[in-house]
């Protein structure tokens, strides 16, 4: 794109468009259901491998056949357009079949983490008054308790072993018995195989494309309060996919993609699953991801693409298994879901280069309310510390927290997002929707992210901190934990850290910063010496009002289900001491 004179306001200038081709800027967004988009993208490639699961390869033709069978089965139990079911599963082929079958029929899956407590699942059921639950066998005992007092009439049970190769299925079943995982299902319960068989003579009715129809409900992470149900449309998820493709990252049908993100988050649905399948890549399904085994997965599958969160790369660069291994096959080592520390980013880039990878870490930014992704880095705009430039159909800018006025380049304020990824709203929560999804004076609808950051003249976005994570002292000074964490992380002995606020006992209000620190194994016996060094380092590098009042050395930092540091848990821990 031809460069134009800047006004100083990102939403007007859109400086990021210079990185996109005319074709990308003028591209038309898909006006299909997710299922139709998937079919149109792959109907001429039915023999290609769509899914790889425990070494079993499933072609696009077989995948579409199984989506058809699932659509028949859901129709046979009386579900229809607009109905909502609970879907508490992990990434298995059955999850893929069910998800796209439901989308084809216009039935809305309310995606739930199967590790949620019975009480939590009951709340999700009541929230949408679900009549049907699709779940994993291991979660069935909780579901049985959760449906008490609800209107659930049927439970469909799948197993991670349903689609494993025949030889491994025997071993899988044996392993389940050894673990004592046997289940006594109630009469209202049906296992997947029988569920599919029961629908064999039914004719499903496809839902035609309908603009702004809620096609899936996912939930916010809950780090800023009770999780809220985010209603996403077909347009939201499809726009995420097309804009990701238009970034220019080398993604081809013949490539492989390792899906390690769970399906109960927007990141997992859009970036983990829908994106690679729309492109036609062989998508490697990992039903239960353990970050400590990320290196083993790379060695086994050698994926060309994968998405994850920054903390996973701390595992990779310290892996002894990968010490002398070739990683030249990786094209887009992508991270999102959380801000990547600049030091970790540099170390990860150096590690990748040393192991033959030609590409640095590809970063992105988003939130559940914008379908997980609105910016990304590629080639010329991959600046250290930034989370990339806005996607081609998306506008991102920064606004003053108090006046609501748009800020100029390099001025810090709240990051706001406008474009096709913006959610329909929170499920039956108008007040919360209006608080985050606001119409500005010019009539533009913006999502107020709650993130503090700035944008430079190139259109590169930088995240400084969370508004909710910000520590406000008794005297009104605002302390950004990321500033402290950046300083502490620069110490040679520190692997990772997290700064949180603890109540100021000497004043009626306000908080003061405390830092939780994970040390390198060889330094764990030197806490007193290192604490003294960290105090001196902070005194030298940080302003007086941002000085930590203490350091807590821990073996590891608690993580949320997708690998973000759970700072809320640390806040609770430090507040009771």
């Amino acid at each position: 794109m031809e460069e134009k004179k800047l006004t100083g306001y990102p939403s007007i200038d859109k400086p990021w468009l210079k990185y996109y081709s005319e074709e990308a800027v003028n591209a038309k967004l898909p006006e299909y259901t997710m299922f139709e988009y998937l079919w149109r993208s792959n109907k001429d490639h039915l023999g290609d491998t769509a899914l790889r699961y425990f070494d079993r390869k499933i072609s696009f033709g077989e995948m579409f056949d199984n989506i058809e069978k699932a659509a028949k089965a859901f129709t046979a139990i009386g579900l229809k357009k607009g109905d909502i079911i609970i879907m508490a599963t992990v990434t298995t082929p059955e999850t893929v079949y069910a998800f796209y079958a439901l989308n084809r029929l216009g039935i809305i899956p309310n995606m739930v983490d199967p590790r949620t407590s019975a009480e939590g699942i009951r709340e999700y059921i009541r929230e949408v008054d679900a009549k049907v639950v699709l779940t994993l066998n291991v979660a069935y005992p909780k579901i049985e308790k959760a449906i008490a007092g609800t209107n659930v009439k049927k439970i469909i049970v799948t197993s991670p072993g349903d689609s494993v190769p025949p030889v491994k299925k025997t071993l899988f079943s044996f392993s389940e018995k050894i673990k004592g995982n046997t289940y006594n299902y109630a009469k209202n319960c049906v296992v997947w195989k029988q569920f599919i068989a029961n629908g064999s003579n039914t004719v499903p009715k496809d839902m035609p494309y309908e603009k702004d129809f809620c096609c899936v409900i996912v939930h916010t992470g809950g780090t800023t309060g009770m999780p809220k149900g985010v209603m996403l449309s077909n347009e939201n998820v499809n726009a995420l996919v097309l804009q990701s493709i238009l970034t220019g990252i080398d993604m081809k049908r013949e490539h492989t993609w390792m899906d390690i993100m769970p399906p109960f988050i927007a990141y997992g649905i859009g970036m983990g699953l829908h994106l690679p399948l729309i492109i036609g890549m062989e998508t490697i399904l990992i039903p239960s991801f353990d970050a400590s085994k990320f290196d083993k997965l790379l060695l086994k599958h050698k994926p060309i693409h994968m998405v994850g969160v920054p903390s996973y790369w701390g595992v990779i660069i310290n892996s002894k298994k990968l010490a002398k291994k070739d990683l030249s096959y990786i094209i887009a080592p992508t991270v999102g879901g959380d801000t990547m520390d600049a030091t970790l980013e540099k170390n990860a880039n150096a590690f990748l280069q040393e192991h033959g990878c030609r590409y640095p870490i590809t970063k992105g930014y988003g939130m559940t309310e914008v379908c997980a992704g609105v910016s990304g880095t590629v080639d010329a705009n991959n600046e250290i510390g930034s989370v990339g430039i806005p996607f081609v159909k998306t506008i991102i800018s920064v606004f003053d927290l108090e006046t609501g006025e748009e800020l100029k380049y390099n001025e810090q304020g709240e990051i706001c997002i406008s474009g096709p990824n913006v959610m329909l709203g929170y499920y039956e929560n108008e007040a919360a929707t209006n608080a985050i999804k606001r119409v500005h004076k010019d009539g533009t609808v913006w999502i107020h992210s709650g993130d503090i950051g700035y944008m430079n003249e190139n259109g590169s976005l930088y995240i400084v901190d969370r508004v909710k994570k910000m520590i406000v002292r008794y005297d009104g000074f605002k302390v950004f934990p990321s500033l402290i964490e950046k300083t502490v992380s620069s110490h040679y002995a520190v692997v990772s850290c997290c700064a949180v606020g603890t109540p100021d006992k000497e004043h009626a209000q306000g908080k003061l910063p405390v830092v939780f620190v994970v040390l390198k194994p060889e330094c764990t016996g030197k806490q007193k010496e290192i604490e003294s060094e960290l105090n001196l380092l902070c005194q030298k590098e940080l302003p007086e009002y941002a000085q930590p009042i203490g350091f807590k050395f821990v073996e590891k930092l608690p993580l949320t289900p997708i690998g973000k540091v759970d700072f809320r848990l640390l806040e609770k821990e430090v507040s009771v001491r």
Side-chain angles (χ1 to χ4, degrees), residues 36-48 60-61 63-64 253 276-281:
E36 187 179 357
Y37 193 19
L38 181 70
W39 170 253
R40 286 171 176 264
S41 300
N42 295 288
K43 61 185 175 64
D44 297 325
H45 302 273
L46 299 181
D48 292 354
F60 277 98
M63 183 182 77
F64 283 119
R253 178 171 291 276
L277 289 177
I278 289 297
I279 294 171
M281 288 195 242

PDB file of all heavy atoms in Angstrom, residues 36-48 60-61 63-64 253 276-281:
ATOM      1  N   GLU A  36     -20.109 -24.367   6.119  1.00  0.00           N
ATOM      2  CA  GLU A  36     -20.105 -24.145   4.673  1.00  0.00           C
ATOM      3  C   GLU A  36     -18.732 -23.652   4.204  1.00  0.00           C
ATOM      4  O   GLU A  36     -18.250 -24.057   3.137  1.00  0.00           O
ATOM      5  CB  GLU A  36     -21.178 -23.138   4.283  1.00  0.00           C
ATOM      6  CG  GLU A  36     -21.335 -23.002   2.770  1.00  0.00           C
ATOM      7  CD  GLU A  36     -22.422 -22.023   2.361  1.00  0.00           C
ATOM      8  OE1 GLU A  36     -23.107 -21.479   3.251  1.00  0.00           O
ATOM      9  OE2 GLU A  36     -22.571 -21.806   1.136  1.00  0.00           O
ATOM     10  N   TYR A  37     -18.104 -22.803   4.994  1.00  0.00           N
ATOM     11  CA  TYR A  37     -16.759 -22.312   4.665  1.00  0.00           C
ATOM     12  C   TYR A  37     -15.787 -23.484   4.624  1.00  0.00           C
ATOM     13  O   TYR A  37     -14.944 -23.587   3.719  1.00  0.00           O
ATOM     14  CB  TYR A  37     -16.339 -21.285   5.723  1.00  0.00           C
ATOM     15  CG  TYR A  37     -15.114 -20.447   5.399  1.00  0.00           C
ATOM     16  CD1 TYR A  37     -14.631 -20.307   4.098  1.00  0.00           C
ATOM     17  CD2 TYR A  37     -14.451 -19.760   6.414  1.00  0.00           C
ATOM     18  CE1 TYR A  37     -13.516 -19.526   3.814  1.00  0.00           C
ATOM     19  CE2 TYR A  37     -13.333 -18.977   6.144  1.00  0.00           C
ATOM     20  CZ  TYR A  37     -12.867 -18.867   4.854  1.00  0.00           C
ATOM     21  OH  TYR A  37     -11.765 -18.088   4.583  1.00  0.00           O
ATOM     22  N   LEU A  38     -15.923 -24.394   5.585  1.00  0.00           N
ATOM     23  CA  LEU A  38     -15.068 -25.582   5.634  1.00  0.00           C
ATOM     24  C   LEU A  38     -15.293 -26.459   4.409  1.00  0.00           C
ATOM     25  O   LEU A  38     -14.334 -26.930   3.789  1.00  0.00           O
ATOM     26  CB  LEU A  38     -15.371 -26.370   6.917  1.00  0.00           C
ATOM     27  CG  LEU A  38     -14.552 -27.634   7.154  1.00  0.00           C
ATOM     28  CD1 LEU A  38     -13.102 -27.280   7.474  1.00  0.00           C
ATOM     29  CD2 LEU A  38     -15.147 -28.455   8.301  1.00  0.00           C
ATOM     30  N   TRP A  39     -16.551 -26.659   4.031  1.00  0.00           N
ATOM     31  CA  TRP A  39     -16.877 -27.499   2.883  1.00  0.00           C
ATOM     32  C   TRP A  39     -16.363 -26.874   1.585  1.00  0.00           C
ATOM     33  O   TRP A  39     -15.736 -27.548   0.766  1.00  0.00           O
ATOM     34  CB  TRP A  39     -18.383 -27.738   2.813  1.00  0.00           C
ATOM     35  CG  TRP A  39     -18.834 -28.390   1.530  1.00  0.00           C
ATOM     36  CD1 TRP A  39     -19.508 -27.813   0.498  1.00  0.00           C
ATOM     37  CD2 TRP A  39     -18.599 -29.750   1.144  1.00  0.00           C
ATOM     38  NE1 TRP A  39     -19.722 -28.713  -0.514  1.00  0.00           N
ATOM     39  CE2 TRP A  39     -19.175 -29.916  -0.148  1.00  0.00           C
ATOM     40  CE3 TRP A  39     -17.976 -30.833   1.745  1.00  0.00           C
ATOM     41  CZ2 TRP A  39     -19.133 -31.122  -0.827  1.00  0.00           C
ATOM     42  CZ3 TRP A  39     -17.935 -32.048   1.059  1.00  0.00           C
ATOM     43  CH2 TRP A  39     -18.510 -32.191  -0.210  1.00  0.00           C
ATOM     44  N   ARG A  40     -16.643 -25.590   1.383  1.00  0.00           N
ATOM     45  CA  ARG A  40     -16.196 -24.910   0.170  1.00  0.00           C
ATOM     46  C   ARG A  40     -14.671 -24.951   0.022  1.00  0.00           C
ATOM     47  O   ARG A  40     -14.151 -25.031  -1.092  1.00  0.00           O
ATOM     48  CB  ARG A  40     -16.667 -23.460   0.174  1.00  0.00           C
ATOM     49  CG  ARG A  40     -18.149 -23.256  -0.098  1.00  0.00           C
ATOM     50  CD  ARG A  40     -18.575 -21.819   0.148  1.00  0.00           C
ATOM     51  NE  ARG A  40     -19.967 -21.588  -0.196  1.00  0.00           N
ATOM     52  CZ  ARG A  40     -20.393 -21.102  -1.362  1.00  0.00           C
ATOM     53  NH1 ARG A  40     -19.514 -20.785  -2.302  1.00  0.00           N
ATOM     54  NH2 ARG A  40     -21.672 -20.917  -1.597  1.00  0.00           N
ATOM     55  N   SER A  41     -13.967 -24.893   1.148  1.00  0.00           N
ATOM     56  CA  SER A  41     -12.501 -24.860   1.110  1.00  0.00           C
ATOM     57  C   SER A  41     -11.886 -26.216   0.801  1.00  0.00           C
ATOM     58  O   SER A  41     -10.742 -26.290   0.335  1.00  0.00           O
ATOM     59  CB  SER A  41     -11.955 -24.362   2.459  1.00  0.00           C
ATOM     60  OG  SER A  41     -12.412 -23.059   2.748  1.00  0.00           O
ATOM     61  N   ASN A  42     -12.636 -27.305   1.052  1.00  0.00           N
ATOM     62  CA  ASN A  42     -12.021 -28.634   0.961  1.00  0.00           C
ATOM     63  C   ASN A  42     -12.782 -29.651   0.117  1.00  0.00           C
ATOM     64  O   ASN A  42     -12.332 -30.791  -0.001  1.00  0.00           O
ATOM     65  CB  ASN A  42     -11.855 -29.199   2.383  1.00  0.00           C
ATOM     66  CG  ASN A  42     -10.886 -28.385   3.214  1.00  0.00           C
ATOM     67  OD1 ASN A  42      -9.683 -28.410   3.004  1.00  0.00           O
ATOM     68  ND2 ASN A  42     -11.424 -27.633   4.176  1.00  0.00           N
ATOM     69  N   LYS A  43     -13.889 -29.258  -0.489  1.00  0.00           N
ATOM     70  CA  LYS A  43     -14.705 -30.223  -1.240  1.00  0.00           C
ATOM     71  C   LYS A  43     -13.971 -30.837  -2.430  1.00  0.00           C
ATOM     72  O   LYS A  43     -14.336 -31.934  -2.895  1.00  0.00           O
ATOM     73  CB  LYS A  43     -16.012 -29.578  -1.701  1.00  0.00           C
ATOM     74  CG  LYS A  43     -15.858 -28.382  -2.623  1.00  0.00           C
ATOM     75  CD  LYS A  43     -17.212 -27.747  -2.932  1.00  0.00           C
ATOM     76  CE  LYS A  43     -17.082 -26.473  -3.765  1.00  0.00           C
ATOM     77  NZ  LYS A  43     -16.528 -26.712  -5.096  1.00  0.00           N
ATOM     78  N   ASP A  44     -12.945 -30.142  -2.920  1.00  0.00           N
ATOM     79  CA  ASP A  44     -12.168 -30.682  -4.040  1.00  0.00           C
ATOM     80  C   ASP A  44     -10.899 -31.392  -3.579  1.00  0.00           C
ATOM     81  O   ASP A  44     -10.043 -31.744  -4.395  1.00  0.00           O
ATOM     82  CB  ASP A  44     -11.797 -29.553  -5.010  1.00  0.00           C
ATOM     83  CG  ASP A  44     -13.020 -28.912  -5.647  1.00  0.00           C
ATOM     84  OD1 ASP A  44     -14.002 -29.633  -5.900  1.00  0.00           O
ATOM     85  OD2 ASP A  44     -13.002 -27.683  -5.884  1.00  0.00           O
ATOM     86  N   HIS A  45     -10.792 -31.589  -2.275  1.00  0.00           N
ATOM     87  CA  HIS A  45      -9.586 -32.234  -1.717  1.00  0.00           C
ATOM     88  C   HIS A  45      -9.968 -33.288  -0.685  1.00  0.00           C
ATOM     89  O   HIS A  45      -9.320 -33.423   0.359  1.00  0.00           O
ATOM     90  CB  HIS A  45      -8.689 -31.177  -1.071  1.00  0.00           C
ATOM     91  CG  HIS A  45      -8.258 -30.080  -1.999  1.00  0.00           C
ATOM     92  ND1 HIS A  45      -7.134 -30.180  -2.803  1.00  0.00           N
ATOM     93  CD2 HIS A  45      -8.817 -28.873  -2.277  1.00  0.00           C
ATOM     94  CE1 HIS A  45      -7.009 -29.075  -3.518  1.00  0.00           C
ATOM     95  NE2 HIS A  45      -8.012 -28.267  -3.228  1.00  0.00           N
ATOM     96  N   LEU A  46     -11.005 -34.039  -0.967  1.00  0.00           N
ATOM     97  CA  LEU A  46     -11.534 -34.987   0.013  1.00  0.00           C
ATOM     98  C   LEU A  46     -10.561 -36.107   0.351  1.00  0.00           C
ATOM     99  O   LEU A  46     -10.673 -36.732   1.411  1.00  0.00           O
ATOM    100  CB  LEU A  46     -12.866 -35.568  -0.481  1.00  0.00           C
ATOM    101  CG  LEU A  46     -13.992 -34.543  -0.694  1.00  0.00           C
ATOM    102  CD1 LEU A  46     -15.268 -35.239  -1.171  1.00  0.00           C
ATOM    103  CD2 LEU A  46     -14.263 -33.764   0.582  1.00  0.00           C
ATOM    104  N   GLY A  47      -9.603 -36.346  -0.516  1.00  0.00           N
ATOM    105  CA  GLY A  47      -8.626 -37.403  -0.244  1.00  0.00           C
ATOM    106  C   GLY A  47      -7.472 -36.956   0.632  1.00  0.00           C
ATOM    107  O   GLY A  47      -6.704 -37.782   1.149  1.00  0.00           O
ATOM    108  N   ASP A  48      -7.323 -35.636   0.834  1.00  0.00           N
ATOM    109  CA  ASP A  48      -6.243 -35.116   1.680  1.00  0.00           C
ATOM    110  C   ASP A  48      -6.516 -35.424   3.148  1.00  0.00           C
ATOM    111  O   ASP A  48      -7.665 -35.566   3.572  1.00  0.00           O
ATOM    112  CB  ASP A  48      -6.112 -33.601   1.517  1.00  0.00           C
ATOM    113  CG  ASP A  48      -5.601 -33.192   0.142  1.00  0.00           C
ATOM    114  OD1 ASP A  48      -5.251 -34.093  -0.644  1.00  0.00           O
ATOM    115  OD2 ASP A  48      -5.577 -31.982  -0.144  1.00  0.00           O
ATOM    116  N   PHE A  60     -10.349 -35.640   4.664  1.00  0.00           N
ATOM    117  CA  PHE A  60     -11.444 -34.686   4.667  1.00  0.00           C
ATOM    118  C   PHE A  60     -12.754 -35.375   4.304  1.00  0.00           C
ATOM    119  O   PHE A  60     -13.808 -35.064   4.859  1.00  0.00           O
ATOM    120  CB  PHE A  60     -11.159 -33.526   3.702  1.00  0.00           C
ATOM    121  CG  PHE A  60     -10.289 -32.462   4.292  1.00  0.00           C
ATOM    122  CD1 PHE A  60      -8.918 -32.438   4.024  1.00  0.00           C
ATOM    123  CD2 PHE A  60     -10.819 -31.497   5.131  1.00  0.00           C
ATOM    124  CE1 PHE A  60      -8.106 -31.459   4.582  1.00  0.00           C
ATOM    125  CE2 PHE A  60     -10.019 -30.511   5.690  1.00  0.00           C
ATOM    126  CZ  PHE A  60      -8.655 -30.496   5.423  1.00  0.00           C
ATOM    127  N   GLY A  61     -12.683 -36.344   3.386  1.00  0.00           N
ATOM    128  CA  GLY A  61     -13.887 -37.084   3.009  1.00  0.00           C
ATOM    129  C   GLY A  61     -14.475 -37.824   4.202  1.00  0.00           C
ATOM    130  O   GLY A  61     -15.688 -37.775   4.445  1.00  0.00           O
ATOM    131  N   MET A  63     -13.910 -37.146   7.338  1.00  0.00           N
ATOM    132  CA  MET A  63     -14.343 -36.160   8.330  1.00  0.00           C
ATOM    133  C   MET A  63     -15.740 -35.636   7.996  1.00  0.00           C
ATOM    134  O   MET A  63     -16.611 -35.553   8.876  1.00  0.00           O
ATOM    135  CB  MET A  63     -13.347 -35.001   8.381  1.00  0.00           C
ATOM    136  CG  MET A  63     -13.676 -33.956   9.450  1.00  0.00           C
ATOM    137  SD  MET A  63     -12.527 -32.561   9.459  1.00  0.00           S
ATOM    138  CE  MET A  63     -13.118 -31.639   8.025  1.00  0.00           C
ATOM    139  N   PHE A  64     -15.982 -35.302   6.724  1.00  0.00           N
ATOM    140  CA  PHE A  64     -17.299 -34.800   6.332  1.00  0.00           C
ATOM    141  C   PHE A  64     -18.374 -35.880   6.494  1.00  0.00           C
ATOM    142  O   PHE A  64     -19.512 -35.576   6.877  1.00  0.00           O
ATOM    143  CB  PHE A  64     -17.276 -34.273   4.902  1.00  0.00           C
ATOM    144  CG  PHE A  64     -16.639 -32.914   4.770  1.00  0.00           C
ATOM    145  CD1 PHE A  64     -15.508 -32.716   3.989  1.00  0.00           C
ATOM    146  CD2 PHE A  64     -17.182 -31.826   5.438  1.00  0.00           C
ATOM    147  CE1 PHE A  64     -14.925 -31.461   3.873  1.00  0.00           C
ATOM    148  CE2 PHE A  64     -16.604 -30.564   5.328  1.00  0.00           C
ATOM    149  CZ  PHE A  64     -15.468 -30.385   4.551  1.00  0.00           C
ATOM    150  N   ARG A 253      -1.733 -25.822   2.118  1.00  0.00           N
ATOM    151  CA  ARG A 253      -2.468 -27.070   2.298  1.00  0.00           C
ATOM    152  C   ARG A 253      -1.541 -28.236   2.643  1.00  0.00           C
ATOM    153  O   ARG A 253      -1.901 -29.103   3.443  1.00  0.00           O
ATOM    154  CB  ARG A 253      -3.264 -27.386   1.027  1.00  0.00           C
ATOM    155  CG  ARG A 253      -4.038 -28.687   1.070  1.00  0.00           C
ATOM    156  CD  ARG A 253      -4.958 -28.823  -0.131  1.00  0.00           C
ATOM    157  NE  ARG A 253      -6.054 -27.862  -0.058  1.00  0.00           N
ATOM    158  CZ  ARG A 253      -7.182 -28.056   0.631  1.00  0.00           C
ATOM    159  NH1 ARG A 253      -7.352 -29.177   1.319  1.00  0.00           N
ATOM    160  NH2 ARG A 253      -8.117 -27.148   0.637  1.00  0.00           N
ATOM    161  N   PRO A 276      -6.490 -23.982  10.506  1.00  0.00           N
ATOM    162  CA  PRO A 276      -5.767 -24.979   9.698  1.00  0.00           C
ATOM    163  C   PRO A 276      -6.682 -25.816   8.817  1.00  0.00           C
ATOM    164  O   PRO A 276      -6.287 -26.201   7.702  1.00  0.00           O
ATOM    165  CB  PRO A 276      -5.065 -25.844  10.753  1.00  0.00           C
ATOM    166  CG  PRO A 276      -5.842 -25.640  12.011  1.00  0.00           C
ATOM    167  CD  PRO A 276      -6.317 -24.217  11.950  1.00  0.00           C
ATOM    168  N   LEU A 277      -7.904 -26.094   9.281  1.00  0.00           N
ATOM    169  CA  LEU A 277      -8.807 -26.911   8.467  1.00  0.00           C
ATOM    170  C   LEU A 277      -9.321 -26.136   7.259  1.00  0.00           C
ATOM    171  O   LEU A 277      -9.517 -26.713   6.189  1.00  0.00           O
ATOM    172  CB  LEU A 277      -9.976 -27.408   9.323  1.00  0.00           C
ATOM    173  CG  LEU A 277      -9.614 -28.480  10.360  1.00  0.00           C
ATOM    174  CD1 LEU A 277     -10.828 -28.850  11.206  1.00  0.00           C
ATOM    175  CD2 LEU A 277      -9.042 -29.730   9.690  1.00  0.00           C
ATOM    176  N   ILE A 278      -9.540 -24.833   7.404  1.00  0.00           N
ATOM    177  CA  ILE A 278      -9.954 -24.021   6.252  1.00  0.00           C
ATOM    178  C   ILE A 278      -8.836 -23.995   5.213  1.00  0.00           C
ATOM    179  O   ILE A 278      -9.084 -24.102   3.999  1.00  0.00           O
ATOM    180  CB  ILE A 278     -10.307 -22.588   6.684  1.00  0.00           C
ATOM    181  CG1 ILE A 278     -11.616 -22.574   7.484  1.00  0.00           C
ATOM    182  CG2 ILE A 278     -10.408 -21.651   5.479  1.00  0.00           C
ATOM    183  CD1 ILE A 278     -12.838 -23.034   6.712  1.00  0.00           C
ATOM    184  N   ILE A 279      -7.595 -23.879   5.660  1.00  0.00           N
ATOM    185  CA  ILE A 279      -6.457 -23.878   4.727  1.00  0.00           C
ATOM    186  C   ILE A 279      -6.282 -25.253   4.088  1.00  0.00           C
ATOM    187  O   ILE A 279      -5.816 -25.372   2.956  1.00  0.00           O
ATOM    188  CB  ILE A 279      -5.169 -23.455   5.462  1.00  0.00           C
ATOM    189  CG1 ILE A 279      -5.290 -21.997   5.906  1.00  0.00           C
ATOM    190  CG2 ILE A 279      -3.924 -23.627   4.582  1.00  0.00           C
ATOM    191  CD1 ILE A 279      -4.186 -21.532   6.829  1.00  0.00           C
ATOM    192  N   GLY A 280      -6.707 -26.295   4.825  1.00  0.00           N
ATOM    193  CA  GLY A 280      -6.575 -27.659   4.314  1.00  0.00           C
ATOM    194  C   GLY A 280      -5.362 -28.386   4.849  1.00  0.00           C
ATOM    195  O   GLY A 280      -4.940 -29.395   4.290  1.00  0.00           O
ATOM    196  N   MET A 281      -4.804 -27.869   5.939  1.00  0.00           N
ATOM    197  CA  MET A 281      -3.627 -28.517   6.516  1.00  0.00           C
ATOM    198  C   MET A 281      -3.988 -29.806   7.248  1.00  0.00           C
ATOM    199  O   MET A 281      -5.118 -29.978   7.702  1.00  0.00           O
ATOM    200  CB  MET A 281      -2.955 -27.566   7.510  1.00  0.00           C
ATOM    201  CG  MET A 281      -2.236 -26.404   6.879  1.00  0.00           C
ATOM    202  SD  MET A 281      -1.137 -25.600   8.066  1.00  0.00           S
ATOM    203  CE  MET A 281      -1.850 -23.984   8.142  1.00  0.00           C
TER     204      MET A 281
END
